[in-house]
Amino acid sequence: MSSSALRHTALDALHRSLGATMTDFAGWDMPLRYGSERDEHNAVRTKAGLFDLSHMGEITVTGPRAADLLNHALVGNIASVGVGRARYTMICREDGGILDDLIVYRLAESEFLVVANASNAQVVLDALTERAAGFDAEVRDDRDAYALIAVQGPESPGILASLTDADLEGLKYYAGLPGTVAGVPALIARTGYTGEDGFELFVKPEHAVELWQALAKAGEGVGLVPCGLSCRDTLRLEAGMPLYGHELSTSLTPFDAGLGRVVKFEKEGDFVGRAALAEAAERAAQNPPRVLVGLVAEGRRVPRAGYPVVAGGQVIGEVTSGAPSPTLGKPIAMAYVDAAHAAPGTPGVGVDIRGTHEPYEVVALPFYKRRK
Amino acid sequence: MSNPQQLRYSKEHEWLSAAEDGVATVGITEFAANALGDVVYAQLPDVGSEVAAGETCGELESTKSVSDLYSPVSGEVVEINEDVVNDPSLVNSAPFEGGWLFKVRIAEEPADLLSADEYAAHTAG
């Protein structure tokens, strides 16, 4: 794709003035890193980081039967989400394959904000639009209506509190409320993808620069730094969070991905994929599928997505994501491995790194959990 | 970024020092180090091995990618930088100095190595 075809966020000029290295991400020209990705990663773990996530896909679903539509279209029980709360869920195909993983915010009794991955936003929009047939509900493409700025890390509550009157203490993890931040109207959500406490702020694109600058200034004294997508990926990997296209795909059901808990068979009414998912659940119970595990390197070589996991000369799985972990100081990976080799501490497991079998320790996910 | 005038450069972004007693030092340029991002693993050629100009002799691994390391000249590797093996971030922090990679006794060097100005023009595109 030529650079002229790339989409730019409202913060594009700001990123360039900060010297960001930019990268094509799902058709968007996004900051990969501003300086050292390791420094950015460590800032989020110990202080705070500021992210432009405006490439994420926002879809608004409104109307008297908005909740029913989402219950039908998604695998979660969205009707049971309280106003002001958010839910991690998935949208599946009729055959149970995962189309995307989503966060759904209930903004009002009959108004929801669905946030899709940038790479899947159109697919999700099309599926929701199609599945809305027969429901008194409207599916609206709001991708251009929002810029999304995240502030993540242990200092983030203090930084945000200095810029808003909103009740942050009353705002739980996986909740969102409308408010004003630095004079700008925002949906303030206590969500993120880093394993740290943090906030995601949905604002109008024309307010993005003003908000970013206010946050940067408020965080100046406590070590807030701008962060790119590179450290976002190592942060989420340490936190054991799946990434679509790596741990999740249309060829896996939520049960194959070890995330069967997001499928709510008990909810009212039929939903897309129910029959196939019921079968997948039964299959998984009788004959355990490959299990998503963590791998920690004993050496320094880094496993990459697609590398074979081996034991006793046999391929027993595949790496889905791998990177050097700044927090552990060692390379880590997520991998799907045969159930027989999935227990933490299973001996003799390695990764085939370009022809050499490097030893790895099987560990439970996540690699990193913050202290609360 | 400035490329030291006294060095010569390959189009694959290695630099080569002037030879002393036939031995020259090899590293990667600041341009290449910046493009790689944080280097986390350096696999350098074995001491005593023969390297060939333009051919792979090791690899540099960064957070996001693995890149082949090419030798800008042909010859025998006489020393590798153990400091870089132990702390690959030296490649980022001091690419032209403490982050050098290996020393080679030159047997033959290609005619198309670039001057600092030519290399700057090569990377300007």
Side-chain angles (χ1 to χ4, degrees):
Chain A
M1 188 181 290
S2 75
S3 60
S4 60
L6 291 178
R7 302 179 69 182
H8 298 98
T9 79
L11 294 160
D12 189 70
L14 190 58
H15 298 318
R16 287 166 204 281
S17 75
L18 291 169
T21 300
M22 306 296 285
T23 189
D24 173 1
F25 190 90
W28 290 82
D29 203 14
M30 299 300 293
L32 183 64
R33 52 188 154 87
Y34 299 83
S36 155
E37 59 239 342
R38 190 170 6 200
D39 292 348
E40 292 169 18
H41 180 109
N42 291 333
V44 174
R45 285 276 176 263
T46 59
K47 298 177 179 99
L50 194 54
F51 295 82
D52 178 9
L53 305 178
S54 301
H55 60 307
M56 300 293 285
E58 295 86 1
I59 301 162
T60 300
V61 180
T62 56
R65 294 200 63 206
D68 294 336
L69 160 59
L70 291 171
N71 259 16
H72 166 70
L74 312 180
V75 300
N77 190 353
I78 307 305
S80 72
V81 178
V83 172
R85 299 307 304 265
R87 181 78 40 96
Y88 176 77
T89 186
M90 291 183 182
I91 181 167
C92 289
R93 299 192 303 203
E94 199 68 67
D95 70 359
I98 301 165
L99 278 177
D100 201 11
D101 61 339
L102 308 166
I103 293 181
V104 178
Y105 298 91
R106 188 170 206 162
L107 304 181
E109 194 55 36
S110 56
E111 181 178 0
F112 297 84
L113 179 65
V114 177
V115 182
N117 284 296
S119 53
N120 293 329
Q122 188 65 49
V123 168
V124 175
L125 179 66
D126 291 346
L128 286 179
T129 304
E130 190 189 320
R131 293 173 191 187
F135 288 93
D136 186 4
E138 186 204 350
V139 175
R140 188 171 73 225
D141 179 1
D142 265 346
R143 282 177 290 184
D144 293 336
Y146 291 105
L148 176 56
I149 295 173
V151 52
Q152 300 277 303
E155 297 287 352
S156 59
I159 292 167
L160 200 59
S162 72
L163 296 172
T164 184
D165 294 333
D167 175 20
L168 298 182
E169 285 190 19
L171 187 67
K172 294 179 189 158
Y173 188 52
Y174 264 80
L177 60 83
T180 302
V181 180
V184 166
L187 169 65
I188 305 168
R190 200 161 204 157
T191 45
Y193 194 48
T194 61
E196 298 300 328
D197 192 8
F199 301 88
E200 296 184 302
L201 306 169
F202 296 83
V203 297
K204 286 184 180 170
E206 58 262 39
H207 292 144
V209 169
E210 188 183 347
L211 177 61
W212 177 284
Q213 286 171 338
L215 288 163
K217 191 158 184 292
E220 220 167 38
V222 291
L224 175 87
V225 297
C227 294
L229 295 182
S230 183
C231 83
R232 179 171 155 89
D233 192 47
T234 49
L235 288 159
R236 72 92 194 167
L237 175 57
E238 285 185 351
M241 295 177 178
L243 172 61
Y244 199 86
H246 288 256
E247 287 73 36
L248 310 176
S249 72
T250 48
S251 63
L252 297 175
T253 71
F255 294 95
D256 300 312
L259 291 163
R261 63 178 180 275
V262 304
V263 181
K264 303 298 182 192
F265 292 115
E266 70 279 14
K267 66 182 175 179
E268 275 181 43
D270 197 13
F271 63 94
V272 178
R274 179 195 275 273
L277 289 167
E279 277 177 37
E282 198 168 324
R283 226 171 26 240
Q286 284 168 3
N287 184 14
R290 283 186 166 177
V291 179
L292 189 65
V293 299
L295 298 174
V296 177
E298 292 173 25
R300 288 214 207 151
R301 303 185 79 190
V302 185
R304 307 285 174 184
Y307 284 12
V309 182
V310 293
Q314 302 288 314
V315 174
I316 57 141
E318 185 175 304
V319 172
T320 52
S321 298
S325 161
T327 304
L328 276 67
K330 295 174 181 176
I332 58 171
M334 286 199 272
Y336 282 111
V337 302
D338 292 342
H341 298 273
T346 303
V349 172
V351 175
D352 184 335
I353 298 191
R354 301 183 293 285
T356 310
H357 287 189
E358 298 279 333
Y360 275 77
E361 184 188 356
V362 179
V363 302
L365 292 168
F367 300 96
Y368 167 85
K369 205 166 189 176
R370 76 183 163 99
R371 287 192 215 167
K372 305 210 172 156
Chain B
M1 69 190 85
S2 70
N3 300 301
Q5 286 293 329
Q6 72 276 18
L7 303 178
R8 286 177 301 152
Y9 300 86
S10 73
K11 287 181 178 167
E12 287 77 34
H13 310 290
E14 284 84 31
W15 56 260
L16 180 76
S17 76
E20 285 178 36
D21 299 330
V23 174
T25 305
V26 173
I28 66 163
T29 66
E30 186 176 2
F31 176 87
N34 283 346
L36 281 174
D38 293 332
V39 176
V40 296
Y41 175 79
Q43 187 186 47
L44 302 179
D46 292 332
V47 172
S49 65
E50 297 286 333
V51 293
E55 292 189 9
T56 306
C57 64
E59 62 185 37
L60 293 174
E61 183 131 30
S62 65
T63 307
K64 276 293 164 200
S65 65
V66 189
S67 301
D68 284 327
L69 173 64
Y70 299 93
S71 179
V73 292
S74 300
E76 181 193 350
V77 176
V78 296
E79 187 181 347
I80 62 169
N81 188 349
E82 293 290 347
D83 290 346
V84 162
V85 173
N86 294 325
D87 179 9
S89 72
L90 282 171
V91 174
N92 297 105
S93 59
F96 293 117
E97 292 152 359
W100 64 274
L101 299 177
F102 61 92
K103 295 187 180 183
V104 56
R105 185 176 305 282
I106 299 176
E108 192 183 349
E109 68 175 64
D112 61 351
L113 291 177
L114 307 175
S115 70
D117 291 342
E118 287 167 339
Y119 179 70
H122 172 63
T123 54

